[in-house]
Amino acid sequence: MKRKHLHTLGILVGSFAAIAPACVFAQAPAQLSIQLDKPLHPVSPMLYGLMTEEINYSYDGGLYAEMVRNRTFQDHGFGGLSHWNLDNKGTARSTIVFDGTEGPSAALPGSMLMEITAADTSNLAGVRNEGYWGMALQSDTTYKGSLYAKADADNLPLTVSLVSDNSGDTLATASIGSVSSTWKRYDFTLKTSKLTSSSTNHLLIAAGHTGKLWLDLISLFPPTYKNRDNGNRSDIMELMAGMQPKFLRLPGGNYLEGDFIDERFDWKTTIGPLVDRPTHRSPWNYQSSDGMGLLEFLEWTEDLKIEPVLAVFAGYALKGDHIHPGPALTPYVEDALDEIEFVTGDTSTKWGAVRAKLGHPAPFPLKYVEIGNEDWFDKSGSYEGRFAQFDKAIKAKYPNLQTIATMPLKRMKPDVQDDHYYKRADDFFAFANHYDTVDRNGPKIFVGEWATREGSPTTNLGAALGDAAFMTSLERNSDLIIMASYAPLFVNVNPGGMQWESDLIGYNAASAYGSPAYYAQVLFGEHLGTSVPTSSITNGNDRLFYSVTNDAAKGTTYLKLVNASSKPQPIKAAITGATPSSTATVYTLSGSTTAETNSITDPKRITPVKSTIKTAAKFEHTVPPYTIQVIVMGAK
Ligand code: AHR
């Protein structure tokens, strides 16, 4: 049977029988009972969300659509000039060095100095940038660029071009005109004609005159998601939208904290014009351009129509530096209050006005503020005191905000506690009942980072099964667990792009794809439901997991089944309290081995397949081996 793509996420339409292996019922039927008229508790409406940080080239070389790598010459290698190379044509002669004494702003006090000793209009002296493992170009597309430049004498003519690595052909070109002897920003556009899409291209900046030329903040963007300036890649945004997330935890992760306090995500240095952002080293060992600054994070939430969950720096850095609670911590607490005001304040407030001046007068919604990240690493024992100081100040100014602690506290009960889990699939199978018995009088739970770590660079089907087993427990316990976000979300799959194995979404310069675990997130996110009815299952195999949610307003019931065993699992279902529709839609994510996976060259090997089954108050159904299914039933 021919499979047909249903929509861009790659859900396939086909007969379920076409993908199910011949069913030899080696396992006894499991008995599933669902009592739709006996709701237990609501499903948390914010259950599934996103967590990202600058790791694995998530923003630079990833979501943030900037094409020029090391645009401000602050990368560590080659004296600051990594990813830049001389490109002198014919008799042209020049050298490049990093000049720490000349820059366009206080934030960027250094730049690249090009000394051109021989050049004319037929022999251009140039410098090229290789991009983030290439520069992906499409036909008939306009790329918007800008650079800061200064020459030692007025009127140094400059051109910028996009050039094919393989053929050397110029694919788009623009004249900057003449560079003046004071720092100025020059804007340009590069428009391609018909071409074969590829990422084996580079940016060339070339001069046809001798002299000294300083260059900085050289930037080039393709069309971005919702056409935002300084915006995001559309393909990666669309993959995230497909997960139907409800929130974004930002800006980390370790990236919030930094290895040292002065390498934290210092939000005030990430807002405003790019030329005023000094950039900073991320704990994942590369320089962050900070093009993805606080306002860009917030605009990302706006574009996906989701809420930020704001993590504020809480006085602890990864290598152990910490600030004791008390007066020394006060400036950090005030900084967090300023940050919350930047996010939520109206234009009459100091930081709300700053946000408005930057082009966003409307405040952003905010319910949750997380104080720190993984503070159990702070062996000084200062977290409880630090948390209390932040919490008191935040609640005094913003009584409606809920605060999140990053570890269990002994002396106070936070509103929410953030739990993190990185496990193998087996361990998640064994852990799937953990929250069933957790005290409901304690804090609400935010599972702010979690993932089954199997597969590299992106996760495989085995990981998707571990994830789905865990997600059934998140749904069942969503009276307690209010939010959960998988991590890490992104990886650039090029050599050297990955610092953390087993990620959800992979990409290179040209394309992006979802892992099998990504499609598990899509299936669960798309079929959340609003309440959890009473249900039970008996006689299933040890690797059978399920959850049932209901959406009474829609008259729809979602039955999620995870068979992580190697054998088909028959199920006898009995539904009471409402009459199920006679047919139901089934979304099936399945493969023949747990190692099966998607990749940049085979991006849709494992994707959901859509089919239908017959349903009734009592019906039988078999879940194939290594399979996640969502059965969507009408029920009145
Ligand atoms: O997700 C990768 C890292 O794992 C996060 O930065 C950190 O919070 C956790 O230890």
Side-chain angles (χ1 to χ4, degrees):
M1 169 179 285
K2 195 161 180 271
R3 291 178 183 180
K4 196 172 112 203
H5 284 280
L6 184 68
H7 60 67
T8 50
L9 291 175
I11 291 181
L12 299 172
V13 184
S15 152
F16 171 61
I19 57 150
C23 291
V24 180
F25 294 151
Q27 305 198 76
Q31 313 286 328
L32 170 68
S33 143
I34 303 172
Q35 295 172 273
L36 287 176
D37 55 345
K38 293 198 177 139
L40 289 174
H41 56 78
V43 173
S44 168
M46 282 181 74
L47 188 58
Y48 297 123
L50 305 170
M51 185 272 166
T52 74
E53 61 179 317
E54 186 56 278
I55 181 175
N56 299 330
Y57 293 86
S58 285
Y59 309 144
D60 295 343
L63 177 66
Y64 178 57
E66 173 64 82
M67 296 167 73
V68 178
R69 187 165 182 182
N70 190 18
R71 67 185 179 186
T72 55
F73 310 105
Q74 282 156 318
D75 277 13
H76 308 300
F78 301 99
L81 298 186
S82 50
H83 313 293
W84 291 93
N85 280 296
L86 277 175
D87 194 336
N88 291 325
K89 304 285 191 241
T91 57
R93 295 290 174 267
S94 68
T95 56
I96 46 174
V97 288
F98 179 75
D99 180 353
T101 67
E102 266 296 345
S105 64
L108 300 177
S111 61
M112 178 170 69
L113 166 61
M114 188 173 182
E115 285 203 67
I116 309 166
T117 48
D120 56 48
T121 45
S122 317
N123 296 280
L124 297 175
V127 62
R128 81 179 114 89
N129 185 268
E130 65 195 30
Y132 290 94
W133 295 274
M135 290 190 178
L137 298 183
Q138 313 285 339
S139 292
D140 302 318
T141 303
T142 299
Y143 297 83
K144 281 195 208 168
S146 59
L147 57 80
Y148 285 76
K150 168 184 164 164
D152 59 350
D154 274 334
N155 301 326
L156 193 126
L158 210 58
T159 58
V160 287
S161 313
L162 284 163
V163 178
S164 160
D165 297 346
N166 297 331
S167 66
D169 291 346
T170 297
L171 304 171
T173 193
S175 167
I176 294 287
S178 295
V179 174
S180 78
S181 57
T182 51
W183 279 105
K184 265 177 59 185
R185 172 181 160 138
Y186 299 85
D187 292 290
F188 56 89
T189 54
L190 292 168
K191 182 159 182 347
T192 56
S193 310
K194 278 269 159 296
L195 53 75
T196 309
S197 302
S198 92
S199 48
T200 49
N201 306 296
H202 60 266
L203 179 74
L204 177 69
I205 303 171
H209 202 286
T210 56
K212 283 188 181 179
L213 172 68
W214 289 267
L215 293 167
D216 211 346
L217 190 48
I218 299 147
S219 174
L220 187 68
F221 276 79
T224 57
Y225 192 68
K226 303 210 168 171
N227 292 319
R228 285 223 187 250
D229 283 341
N230 198 43
N232 294 334
R233 267 173 65 163
S234 296
D235 54 351
I236 302 177
M237 287 296 279
E238 274 157 18
L239 281 166
M240 283 190 281
M243 294 165 68
Q244 303 205 5
K246 303 297 187 291
F247 66 88
L248 170 66
R249 174 178 177 234
L250 67 93
N254 289 357
Y255 185 58
L256 169 72
E257 304 166 275
D259 275 346
F260 304 99
I261 289 177
D262 62 4
E263 292 182 356
R264 70 194 184 278
F265 183 83
D266 188 3
W267 70 274
K268 284 177 183 156
T269 66
T270 73
I271 57 172
L274 296 179
V275 74
D276 295 329
R277 301 185 195 184
T279 82
H280 80 287
R281 184 184 161 273
S282 112
W284 299 102
N285 267 326
Y286 57 93
Q287 195 74 10
S288 168
S289 75
D290 286 330
M292 179 68 74
L294 180 58
L295 186 56
E296 287 79 13
F297 274 111
L298 296 168
E299 288 172 341
W300 165 6
T301 64
E302 184 169 75
D303 285 350
L304 291 182
K305 301 189 174 59
I306 63 179
E307 279 185 29
V309 171
L310 181 68
V312 296
F313 178 75
Y316 173 76
L318 291 163
K319 301 265 187 208
D321 292 354
H322 65 276
I323 314 284
H324 276 297
L329 194 62
T330 302
Y332 297 92
V333 174
E334 280 169 1
D335 197 59
L337 294 177
D338 290 348
E339 188 172 8
I340 295 168
E341 188 173 283
F342 181 86
V343 178
T344 64
D346 65 33
T347 53
S348 67
T349 63
K350 178 180 167 192
W351 287 101
V354 172
R355 188 196 61 239
K357 204 167 156 212
L358 297 177
H360 204 290
F364 293 89
L366 187 71
K367 287 196 204 77
Y368 297 101
V369 174
E370 181 156 11
I371 297 169
N373 175 59
E374 295 192 341
D375 287 84
W376 65 81
F377 281 113
D378 175 8
K379 299 301 174 221
S380 75
S382 70
Y383 184 62
E384 194 130 359
R386 289 189 285 112
F387 177 88
Q389 196 171 334
F390 274 86
D391 180 71
K392 191 172 170 203
I394 292 171
K395 293 281 176 57
K397 189 164 175 198
Y398 300 101
N400 293 330
L401 285 179
Q402 300 258 296
T403 52
I404 304 173
T406 71
M407 59 180 279
L409 302 180
K410 292 196 184 80
R411 295 191 296 276
M412 63 188 284
K413 176 178 143 185
D415 300 317
V416 183
Q417 176 184 305
D418 182 357
D419 290 348
H420 292 181
Y421 304 108
Y422 293 103
K423 293 176 179 292
R424 306 279 304 172
D426 273 3
D427 296 323
F428 267 125
F429 301 150
F431 191 69
N433 294 329
H434 168 77
Y435 283 108
D436 297 356
T437 51
V438 167
D439 180 9
R440 269 34 187 183
N441 296 313
K444 295 285 184 194
I445 300 294
F446 171 29
V447 185
E449 291 180 30
W450 70 275
T452 306
R453 296 194 67 192
E454 292 184 21
S456 179
T458 46
T459 44
N460 58 25
L461 179 63
L465 291 164
D467 290 353
F470 185 54
M471 284 191 280
T472 62
S473 82
L474 296 178
E475 294 189 351
R476 189 170 60 248
N477 288 289
S478 66
D479 57 324
L480 173 71
I481 301 165
I482 54 168
M483 296 181 288
S485 41
Y486 185 102
L489 202 61
F490 299 144
V491 63
N492 187 313
V493 299
N494 281 292
M498 180 178 71
Q499 288 83 50
W500 181 283
E501 279 192 353
S502 303
D503 304 293
L504 201 70
I505 292 173
Y507 43 77
N508 58 19
S511 65
Y513 70 97
S515 62
Y518 164 79
Y519 287 104
Q521 296 276 331
V522 168
L523 287 180
F524 276 66
E526 235 172 20
H527 303 109
L528 184 58
T530 56
S531 73
V532 174
T534 302
S535 70
S536 66
I537 203 161
T538 53
N539 223 21
N541 78 67
D542 285 351
R543 289 187 171 191
L544 177 68
F545 305 91
Y546 85 104
S547 80
V548 192
T549 59
N550 201 28
D551 187 330
K554 285 189 186 155
T556 305
T557 299
Y558 305 104
L559 170 59
K560 288 150 191 145
L561 295 164
V562 182
N563 180 11
S565 79
S566 59
K567 297 193 181 69
Q569 174 64 63
I571 288 175
K572 289 188 175 176
I575 299 176
T576 55
T579 309
S581 52
S582 57
T583 56
T585 305
V586 184
Y587 297 91
T588 300
L589 190 71
S590 191
S592 47
T593 70
T594 54
E596 256 192 279
T597 198
N598 299 335
S599 67
I600 197 83
T601 50
D602 191 4
K604 298 246 165 116
R605 188 182 177 87
I606 308 266
T607 55
V609 174
K610 186 178 178 187
S611 62
T612 53
I613 57 167
K614 296 272 172 237
T615 43
K618 290 195 172 175
F619 69 96
E620 295 186 14
H621 172 69
T622 296
V623 192
Y626 303 138
T627 292
I628 300 162
Q629 288 189 320
V630 182
I631 300 180
V632 183
M633 286 180 280
K636 290 209 177 103

